[in-house]
Amino acid sequence: MRRKFVVGNWKMHKGPQEADALAEALKKALAGRDATVDVGVAPPFVSLPAVVSRLKHTGIVVAAQNLHAEQQGAYTGEVSSEMLRQVGVAYCLVGHSERRQLFGETDASVARKVGACFRSGLLPILCVGETLAEREAGQEAAVVTRQLDAALGALGADQVPSVTIAYEPVWAIGTGKTATPLQAQDMHATIRGWLEAKFPAFVAKSTRIQYGGSVKGNNAAELMRMPDIDGALVGGASLNAEEFLAIIAGAATASGG
Ligand code: PEP
């Protein structure tokens, strides 16, 4: 019942022209496909209008990479959920590990941002994951559970299935080190178990949990064949149309498509 969902996080790459060209390449390659996989891209803020316009009516959804928790005000340099909605963005990444590690985001600020998404009708892609030190200390489940409690614990059962959870072990992001399918599945099962414990059964059954961390064309299918891995959040490999398309093909294979 959960369709695979593959999202490319372009990070601080691709200004408007380059972003438009990559969006066009994806649009062309995916036109008329038998859509067994949901696909999205997350360009930088300044490239969102071009990409939203290029991908209109294609079924490829557009996400922002971040937002501010307030709707407007004296917050120099920030962008609100309402502004993103006006630009035509459907999703927003929240709590990516780079934001947590490099920009001081906390569990509390991530929770406020999830709330802001809901206020503007944006669908959050909530990133959670442990660092290498936390994994080595055997703390991975405790860390991810703490992040989930903070970001989703106060939401209603009707809201949670609109959230995509991205499990991204920090040690696997941009490092070329991928979690093995079994390591990833184990944490995805923990996350689904958390949903089961907190909410009515339909929530755990319908909420999508992506894996992120050095996903490539050659490991995508193997990861997404795991029963609780419902897609991928892809960084580096999403900057190249061919490689990103190979990941989407891997997701289709894993879905039996
Ligand atoms: C990410 O930034 O969300 C990510 C998973 O990056 P990469 O695929 O490059 O590891």
Side-chain angles (χ1 to χ4, degrees), residues 126 128-129 141 144-145 148 152 165-168 184-197 204 207-210 228:
L126 170 71
V128 295
V144 166
T145 300
L148 292 169
L152 306 182
I165 299 171
Y167 169 61
E168 299 205 300
Q185 166 58 29
D186 195 43
M187 286 302 292
H188 282 233
T190 299
I191 294 167
R192 206 165 309 281
W194 180 87
L195 292 168
E196 266 159 15
T207 302
R208 293 192 285 197
I209 309 173
Q210 295 172 319
D228 289 300

mmCIF file of all heavy atoms in Angstrom, residues 126 128-129 141 144-145 148 152 165-168 184-197 204 207-210 228:
data_model
loop_
_atom_site.group_PDB
_atom_site.id
_atom_site.type_symbol
_atom_site.label_atom_id
_atom_site.label_comp_id
_atom_site.label_asym_id
_atom_site.label_seq_id
_atom_site.Cartn_x
_atom_site.Cartn_y
_atom_site.Cartn_z
ATOM 1 N N LEU A 126 10.693 14.600 7.064
ATOM 2 C CA LEU A 126 11.422 14.754 8.324
ATOM 3 C C LEU A 126 12.651 13.848 8.330
ATOM 4 O O LEU A 126 12.523 12.619 8.230
ATOM 5 C CB LEU A 126 10.513 14.370 9.501
ATOM 6 C CG LEU A 126 11.259 14.275 10.833
ATOM 7 C CD1 LEU A 126 11.665 15.651 11.335
ATOM 8 C CD2 LEU A 126 10.438 13.528 11.869
ATOM 9 N N VAL A 128 15.793 12.095 10.127
ATOM 10 C CA VAL A 128 16.295 11.654 11.432
ATOM 11 C C VAL A 128 17.501 10.744 11.180
ATOM 12 O O VAL A 128 17.648 10.187 10.095
ATOM 13 C CB VAL A 128 15.207 10.882 12.242
ATOM 14 C CG1 VAL A 128 14.033 11.793 12.595
ATOM 15 C CG2 VAL A 128 14.725 9.632 11.490
ATOM 16 N N GLY A 129 18.340 10.604 12.184
ATOM 17 C CA GLY A 129 19.479 9.693 12.009
ATOM 18 C C GLY A 129 20.561 9.968 13.024
ATOM 19 O O GLY A 129 20.678 11.084 13.544
ATOM 20 N N ALA A 141 19.070 3.675 18.104
ATOM 21 C CA ALA A 141 17.609 3.610 18.263
ATOM 22 C C ALA A 141 17.134 4.697 19.230
ATOM 23 O O ALA A 141 16.109 5.354 18.990
ATOM 24 C CB ALA A 141 17.194 2.230 18.760
ATOM 25 N N VAL A 144 17.233 8.189 17.400
ATOM 26 C CA VAL A 144 16.175 8.355 16.394
ATOM 27 C C VAL A 144 14.806 8.439 17.078
ATOM 28 O O VAL A 144 13.953 9.256 16.699
ATOM 29 C CB VAL A 144 16.259 7.209 15.357
ATOM 30 C CG1 VAL A 144 15.016 7.139 14.505
ATOM 31 C CG2 VAL A 144 17.497 7.426 14.478
ATOM 32 N N THR A 145 14.598 7.655 18.113
ATOM 33 C CA THR A 145 13.332 7.707 18.849
ATOM 34 C C THR A 145 13.144 9.091 19.500
ATOM 35 O O THR A 145 12.060 9.655 19.474
ATOM 36 C CB THR A 145 13.310 6.598 19.918
ATOM 37 O OG1 THR A 145 13.448 5.357 19.252
ATOM 38 C CG2 THR A 145 12.031 6.601 20.716
ATOM 39 N N LEU A 148 12.133 11.469 16.793
ATOM 40 C CA LEU A 148 10.737 11.251 16.383
ATOM 41 C C LEU A 148 9.773 11.789 17.433
ATOM 42 O O LEU A 148 8.775 12.434 17.109
ATOM 43 C CB LEU A 148 10.479 9.752 16.168
ATOM 44 C CG LEU A 148 11.198 9.101 14.984
ATOM 45 C CD1 LEU A 148 11.058 7.582 15.056
ATOM 46 C CD2 LEU A 148 10.639 9.625 13.660
ATOM 47 N N LEU A 152 7.320 14.520 15.968
ATOM 48 C CA LEU A 152 6.011 13.987 15.556
ATOM 49 C C LEU A 152 5.114 13.599 16.720
ATOM 50 O O LEU A 152 3.920 13.351 16.519
ATOM 51 C CB LEU A 152 6.202 12.737 14.662
ATOM 52 C CG LEU A 152 7.103 12.878 13.432
ATOM 53 C CD1 LEU A 152 7.125 11.575 12.645
ATOM 54 C CD2 LEU A 152 6.620 14.020 12.536
ATOM 55 N N ILE A 165 9.097 10.169 6.540
ATOM 56 C CA ILE A 165 10.254 10.127 7.442
ATOM 57 C C ILE A 165 11.451 9.650 6.620
ATOM 58 O O ILE A 165 11.344 8.658 5.893
ATOM 59 C CB ILE A 165 9.987 9.165 8.621
ATOM 60 C CG1 ILE A 165 8.766 9.639 9.433
ATOM 61 C CG2 ILE A 165 11.229 9.058 9.523
ATOM 62 C CD1 ILE A 165 8.292 8.644 10.483
ATOM 63 N N ALA A 166 12.556 10.379 6.713
ATOM 64 C CA ALA A 166 13.776 9.936 6.016
ATOM 65 C C ALA A 166 14.787 9.514 7.079
ATOM 66 O O ALA A 166 15.262 10.366 7.839
ATOM 67 C CB ALA A 166 14.330 11.059 5.154
ATOM 68 N N TYR A 167 15.069 8.235 7.120
ATOM 69 C CA TYR A 167 16.129 7.762 8.029
ATOM 70 C C TYR A 167 17.462 7.923 7.316
ATOM 71 O O TYR A 167 17.719 7.270 6.295
ATOM 72 C CB TYR A 167 15.914 6.296 8.438
ATOM 73 C CG TYR A 167 17.151 5.757 9.142
ATOM 74 C CD1 TYR A 167 17.601 6.343 10.325
ATOM 75 C CD2 TYR A 167 17.883 4.702 8.608
ATOM 76 C CE1 TYR A 167 18.765 5.897 10.958
ATOM 77 C CE2 TYR A 167 19.040 4.244 9.229
ATOM 78 C CZ TYR A 167 19.466 4.853 10.399
ATOM 79 O OH TYR A 167 20.623 4.419 11.018
ATOM 80 N N GLU A 168 18.298 8.810 7.847
ATOM 81 C CA GLU A 168 19.584 9.093 7.213
ATOM 82 C C GLU A 168 20.689 9.004 8.259
ATOM 83 O O GLU A 168 20.930 9.986 8.993
ATOM 84 C CB GLU A 168 19.573 10.501 6.621
ATOM 85 C CG GLU A 168 18.518 10.710 5.560
ATOM 86 C CD GLU A 168 18.908 11.817 4.609
ATOM 87 O OE1 GLU A 168 19.089 12.960 5.055
ATOM 88 O OE2 GLU A 168 19.077 11.531 3.423
ATOM 89 N N ALA A 184 19.865 -0.865 7.543
ATOM 90 C CA ALA A 184 18.823 0.130 7.270
ATOM 91 C C ALA A 184 17.452 -0.437 7.655
ATOM 92 O O ALA A 184 16.680 0.216 8.351
ATOM 93 C CB ALA A 184 18.860 0.535 5.797
ATOM 94 N N GLN A 185 17.177 -1.657 7.232
ATOM 95 C CA GLN A 185 15.882 -2.276 7.547
ATOM 96 C C GLN A 185 15.648 -2.321 9.058
ATOM 97 O O GLN A 185 14.548 -2.040 9.535
ATOM 98 C CB GLN A 185 15.814 -3.683 6.932
ATOM 99 C CG GLN A 185 14.676 -4.574 7.437
ATOM 100 C CD GLN A 185 13.278 -3.978 7.240
ATOM 101 O OE1 GLN A 185 13.043 -3.205 6.306
ATOM 102 N NE2 GLN A 185 12.345 -4.325 8.131
ATOM 103 N N ASP A 186 16.691 -2.641 9.778
ATOM 104 C CA ASP A 186 16.583 -2.726 11.234
ATOM 105 C C ASP A 186 16.113 -1.383 11.823
ATOM 106 O O ASP A 186 15.206 -1.334 12.663
ATOM 107 C CB ASP A 186 17.994 -3.080 11.749
ATOM 108 C CG ASP A 186 17.952 -3.548 13.170
ATOM 109 O OD1 ASP A 186 17.048 -4.335 13.475
ATOM 110 O OD2 ASP A 186 18.805 -3.099 13.968
ATOM 111 N N MET A 187 16.698 -0.293 11.356
ATOM 112 C CA MET A 187 16.293 1.018 11.881
ATOM 113 C C MET A 187 14.912 1.422 11.364
ATOM 114 O O MET A 187 14.134 2.064 12.084
ATOM 115 C CB MET A 187 17.331 2.080 11.512
ATOM 116 C CG MET A 187 18.594 1.987 12.323
ATOM 117 S SD MET A 187 18.287 2.123 14.109
ATOM 118 C CE MET A 187 17.761 3.822 14.219
ATOM 119 N N HIS A 188 14.610 1.046 10.128
ATOM 120 C CA HIS A 188 13.269 1.360 9.609
ATOM 121 C C HIS A 188 12.206 0.609 10.406
ATOM 122 O O HIS A 188 11.131 1.151 10.685
ATOM 123 C CB HIS A 188 13.180 1.012 8.121
ATOM 124 C CG HIS A 188 13.829 2.044 7.234
ATOM 125 N ND1 HIS A 188 13.186 2.652 6.176
ATOM 126 C CD2 HIS A 188 15.072 2.587 7.281
ATOM 127 C CE1 HIS A 188 14.008 3.529 5.611
ATOM 128 N NE2 HIS A 188 15.156 3.488 6.257
ATOM 129 N N ALA A 189 12.519 -0.611 10.792
ATOM 130 C CA ALA A 189 11.569 -1.381 11.609
ATOM 131 C C ALA A 189 11.407 -0.717 12.983
ATOM 132 O O ALA A 189 10.310 -0.680 13.541
ATOM 133 C CB ALA A 189 12.051 -2.822 11.752
ATOM 134 N N THR A 190 12.500 -0.182 13.510
ATOM 135 C CA THR A 190 12.420 0.545 14.789
ATOM 136 C C THR A 190 11.504 1.756 14.646
ATOM 137 O O THR A 190 10.662 2.034 15.511
ATOM 138 C CB THR A 190 13.836 1.015 15.224
ATOM 139 O OG1 THR A 190 14.644 -0.141 15.401
ATOM 140 C CG2 THR A 190 13.814 1.835 16.491
ATOM 141 N N ILE A 191 11.670 2.472 13.539
ATOM 142 C CA ILE A 191 10.837 3.666 13.311
ATOM 143 C C ILE A 191 9.368 3.266 13.151
ATOM 144 O O ILE A 191 8.469 3.869 13.733
ATOM 145 C CB ILE A 191 11.348 4.454 12.080
ATOM 146 C CG1 ILE A 191 12.738 5.032 12.379
ATOM 147 C CG2 ILE A 191 10.362 5.542 11.673
ATOM 148 C CD1 ILE A 191 13.493 5.574 11.175
ATOM 149 N N ARG A 192 9.138 2.192 12.394
ATOM 150 C CA ARG A 192 7.745 1.765 12.208
ATOM 151 C C ARG A 192 7.172 1.286 13.551
ATOM 152 O O ARG A 192 6.007 1.508 13.866
ATOM 153 C CB ARG A 192 7.620 0.696 11.115
ATOM 154 C CG ARG A 192 6.220 0.750 10.532
ATOM 155 C CD ARG A 192 6.012 0.011 9.220
ATOM 156 N NE ARG A 192 6.911 0.270 8.133
ATOM 157 C CZ ARG A 192 6.844 1.350 7.329
ATOM 158 N NH1 ARG A 192 5.916 2.260 7.511
ATOM 159 N NH2 ARG A 192 7.713 1.505 6.357
ATOM 160 N N GLY A 193 8.007 0.652 14.336
ATOM 161 C CA GLY A 193 7.576 0.208 15.665
ATOM 162 C C GLY A 193 7.199 1.399 16.543
ATOM 163 O O GLY A 193 6.229 1.343 17.308
ATOM 164 N N TRP A 194 7.955 2.479 16.413
ATOM 165 C CA TRP A 194 7.634 3.707 17.169
ATOM 166 C C TRP A 194 6.258 4.224 16.741
ATOM 167 O O TRP A 194 5.438 4.596 17.583
ATOM 168 C CB TRP A 194 8.715 4.761 16.919
ATOM 169 C CG TRP A 194 8.479 6.046 17.651
ATOM 170 C CD1 TRP A 194 8.861 6.357 18.924
ATOM 171 C CD2 TRP A 194 7.763 7.191 17.151
ATOM 172 N NE1 TRP A 194 8.423 7.633 19.249
ATOM 173 C CE2 TRP A 194 7.759 8.163 18.187
ATOM 174 C CE3 TRP A 194 7.127 7.490 15.940
ATOM 175 C CZ2 TRP A 194 7.143 9.413 18.033
ATOM 176 C CZ3 TRP A 194 6.510 8.739 15.794
ATOM 177 C CH2 TRP A 194 6.529 9.677 16.828
ATOM 178 N N LEU A 195 6.010 4.233 15.421
ATOM 179 C CA LEU A 195 4.699 4.695 14.926
ATOM 180 C C LEU A 195 3.581 3.796 15.458
ATOM 181 O O LEU A 195 2.516 4.277 15.863
ATOM 182 C CB LEU A 195 4.679 4.691 13.384
ATOM 183 C CG LEU A 195 5.584 5.719 12.672
ATOM 184 C CD1 LEU A 195 5.690 5.405 11.185
ATOM 185 C CD2 LEU A 195 5.043 7.150 12.866
ATOM 186 N N GLU A 196 3.836 2.490 15.468
ATOM 187 C CA GLU A 196 2.820 1.531 15.950
ATOM 188 C C GLU A 196 2.493 1.767 17.416
ATOM 189 O O GLU A 196 1.336 1.661 17.834
ATOM 190 C CB GLU A 196 3.354 0.100 15.803
ATOM 191 C CG GLU A 196 2.948 -0.555 14.500
ATOM 192 C CD GLU A 196 3.861 -1.730 14.131
ATOM 193 O OE1 GLU A 196 4.629 -2.226 15.003
ATOM 194 O OE2 GLU A 196 3.809 -2.131 12.952
ATOM 195 N N ALA A 197 3.526 2.063 18.177
ATOM 196 C CA ALA A 197 3.320 2.235 19.621
ATOM 197 C C ALA A 197 2.575 3.529 19.935
ATOM 198 O O ALA A 197 1.865 3.614 20.934
ATOM 199 C CB ALA A 197 4.670 2.218 20.331
ATOM 200 N N ALA A 204 1.155 3.517 11.083
ATOM 201 C CA ALA A 204 2.405 2.798 10.794
ATOM 202 C C ALA A 204 2.327 2.118 9.426
ATOM 203 O O ALA A 204 3.321 2.035 8.704
ATOM 204 C CB ALA A 204 2.669 1.769 11.882
ATOM 205 N N THR A 207 2.528 5.310 6.658
ATOM 206 C CA THR A 207 3.573 6.347 6.654
ATOM 207 C C THR A 207 4.827 5.842 5.937
ATOM 208 O O THR A 207 5.334 4.757 6.238
ATOM 209 C CB THR A 207 3.919 6.764 8.101
ATOM 210 O OG1 THR A 207 2.720 7.233 8.726
ATOM 211 C CG2 THR A 207 4.966 7.864 8.133
ATOM 212 N N ARG A 208 5.324 6.661 5.013
ATOM 213 C CA ARG A 208 6.497 6.221 4.243
ATOM 214 C C ARG A 208 7.789 6.587 4.962
ATOM 215 O O ARG A 208 7.927 7.675 5.509
ATOM 216 C CB ARG A 208 6.473 6.840 2.848
ATOM 217 C CG ARG A 208 5.315 6.276 2.041
ATOM 218 C CD ARG A 208 5.408 6.616 0.589
ATOM 219 N NE ARG A 208 5.059 7.984 0.303
ATOM 220 C CZ ARG A 208 4.751 8.417 -0.916
ATOM 221 N NH1 ARG A 208 4.778 7.584 -1.939
ATOM 222 N NH2 ARG A 208 4.438 9.673 -1.122
ATOM 223 N N ILE A 209 8.711 5.644 4.928
ATOM 224 C CA ILE A 209 10.030 5.852 5.548
ATOM 225 C C ILE A 209 11.088 5.647 4.459
ATOM 226 O O ILE A 209 11.288 4.529 3.971
ATOM 227 C CB ILE A 209 10.269 4.869 6.712
ATOM 228 C CG1 ILE A 209 9.085 4.884 7.706
ATOM 229 C CG2 ILE A 209 11.578 5.218 7.426
ATOM 230 C CD1 ILE A 209 9.173 3.821 8.797
ATOM 231 N N GLN A 210 11.749 6.764 4.100
ATOM 232 C CA GLN A 210 12.819 6.686 3.091
ATOM 233 C C GLN A 210 14.142 6.383 3.788
ATOM 234 O O GLN A 210 14.349 6.759 4.936
ATOM 235 C CB GLN A 210 12.986 8.031 2.382
ATOM 236 C CG GLN A 210 11.807 8.476 1.568
ATOM 237 C CD GLN A 210 11.999 9.911 1.073
ATOM 238 O OE1 GLN A 210 12.480 10.777 1.803
ATOM 239 N NE2 GLN A 210 11.584 10.175 -0.152
ATOM 240 N N ASP A 228 10.520 -2.447 5.002
ATOM 241 C CA ASP A 228 10.148 -1.167 5.611
ATOM 242 C C ASP A 228 10.837 0.022 4.959
ATOM 243 O O ASP A 228 10.767 1.132 5.475
ATOM 244 C CB ASP A 228 10.454 -1.201 7.123
ATOM 245 C CG ASP A 228 9.470 -2.116 7.836
ATOM 246 O OD1 ASP A 228 8.260 -1.844 7.757
ATOM 247 O OD2 ASP A 228 9.898 -3.132 8.419
#
